[in-house]
């Protein structure tokens, strides 16, 4: 079987994706997560935090809620329903760190949780760090006086 025959077979056997419905639910849930973040920001500001501190508290709160929902197995159910809507950067990232940690916990704290929790998120962190270094060097080169 060559590649084109395999592609035809896979297309015939794979169910179609209801794209409009998937996009709607992704938009709905992603927007709800963002609205929750905005609501938390307003709450923290109302409680006396300055804007920068409120932003930090929102980030910490969303990471905590995402990790907690992942720990209880609820985040995956939301992701099945919302698809890409749960990939709002900070909540999706927290889920990507916590999920492997839970999965590999039976292998122990060091070789299971410690070694496995960054299997998914690790490449993202490395790419982000490399991008920051490159951006910083380019910025430095163009702003030298």
């Amino acid at each position: 079987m060559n590649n084109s025959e395999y592609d035809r077979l896979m297309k015939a056997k794979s169910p179609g994706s209801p794209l409009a419905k998937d996009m709607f639910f992704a938009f709905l849930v992603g927007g709800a997560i963002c609205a929750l973040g905005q609501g938390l920001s307003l709450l923290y500001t109302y409680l006396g935090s300055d804007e920068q501190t409120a932003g930090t508290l929102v980030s910490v709160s969303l990471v905590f809620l995402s990790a907690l929902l992942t720990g209880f197995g609820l985040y995956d159910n939301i992701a099945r329903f919302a698809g890409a809507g749960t990939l709002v950067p900070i909540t999706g990232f927290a889920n990507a760190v916590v999920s492997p940690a839970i999965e590999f916990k039976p292998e122990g704290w060091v070789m299971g949780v410690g070694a496995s929790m960054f299997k998914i998120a690790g490449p993202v962190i490395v790419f982000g760090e490399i991008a920051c270094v490159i951006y910083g060097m380019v910025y430095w080169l163009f702003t030298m006086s």
Side-chain angles (χ1 to χ4, degrees), residues 4 12 21 28 37 50 53 55-56 58 63 75 92 108 121 127 134:
S4 62
K21 180 181 136 204
L28 187 71
D50 61 33
T53 304
T56 302
V58 168
V63 166
Y75 198 89
F127 177 79
I134 292 170

Side-chain angles (χ1 to χ4, degrees), residues 12-92:
K13 298 290 182 182
S14 299
S17 176
L19 188 59
K21 180 181 136 204
D22 290 348
M23 290 188 320
F24 174 75
F25 286 127
F27 177 78
L28 187 71
V29 173
I33 292 170
C34 293
L36 173 64
Q38 183 62 42
L40 288 171
S41 178
L42 293 172
L43 174 67
Y44 293 137
T45 303
Y46 174 78
L47 294 175
S49 297
D50 61 33
E51 192 173 318
Q52 186 173 3
T53 304
T56 302
L57 291 171
V58 168
S59 296
V60 169
S61 299
L62 289 176
V63 166
F64 173 76
L65 288 172
S66 176
L68 185 67
L69 290 174
T70 300
F72 286 127
L74 299 174
Y75 198 89
D76 291 339
N77 293 335
I78 296 169
R80 275 188 213 96
F81 171 76
T86 57
L87 295 178
V88 174
I90 199 160
T91 57

